[in-house]
Amino acid sequence: MNRYFVYGRPDCPFCVKALEHLSNAKCEYLFIDVSGDADFERHAKDFYGHPTVPMILSNDKNSGRCVFIGGSDALEGHLKDGT
């Protein structure tokens, strides 16, 4: 079973869209608000090589393995593919 970690900002329309996709798919997720910590946001963007928010990861609850998905469009494709 997977859950999702979403790094984003509550005022970001793409972040809101990603959360709507997860809610509609009845997926478990944790939203990590990076809006109050510019250093953390910059480090996360550098680490994942993704220049924008949201940054979305899929986490296998059994193994603990996390896989970077990307932004809201990549999440939409991921959910449609069922991967």
Side-chain angles (χ1 to χ4, degrees), residues 27-45:
C27 294
E28 179 183 347
Y29 66 88
L30 175 64
F31 179 72
I32 300 117
D33 183 356
V34 299
S35 62
D37 192 339
D39 285 336
F40 179 81
E41 182 177 350
R42 181 176 43 81
H43 288 299
K45 287 177 178 179

Side-chain angles (χ1 to χ4, degrees), residues 4-12 14-19 22 28-35 53-56:
Y4 295 86
F5 299 126
V6 181
Y7 294 90
R9 294 192 297 290
D11 61 343
C12 163
F14 297 101
C15 299
V16 171
K17 180 181 172 184
L19 298 178
L22 291 168
E28 179 183 347
Y29 66 88
L30 175 64
F31 179 72
I32 300 117
D33 183 356
V34 299
S35 62
V53 291
M55 293 171 279
I56 304 164

Side-chain angles (χ1 to χ4, degrees), residues 30-79:
L30 175 64
F31 179 72
I32 300 117
D33 183 356
V34 299
S35 62
D37 192 339
D39 285 336
F40 179 81
E41 182 177 350
R42 181 176 43 81
H43 288 299
K45 287 177 178 179
D46 289 345
F47 182 82
Y48 292 112
H50 193 75
T52 61
V53 291
M55 293 171 279
I56 304 164
L57 293 92
S58 174
N59 171 240
D60 183 314
K61 290 172 64 173
N62 295 321
S63 70
R65 181 173 180 250
C66 283
V67 175
F68 183 74
I69 294 172
S72 61
D73 290 341
L75 173 66
E76 186 175 9
H78 172 83
L79 294 173

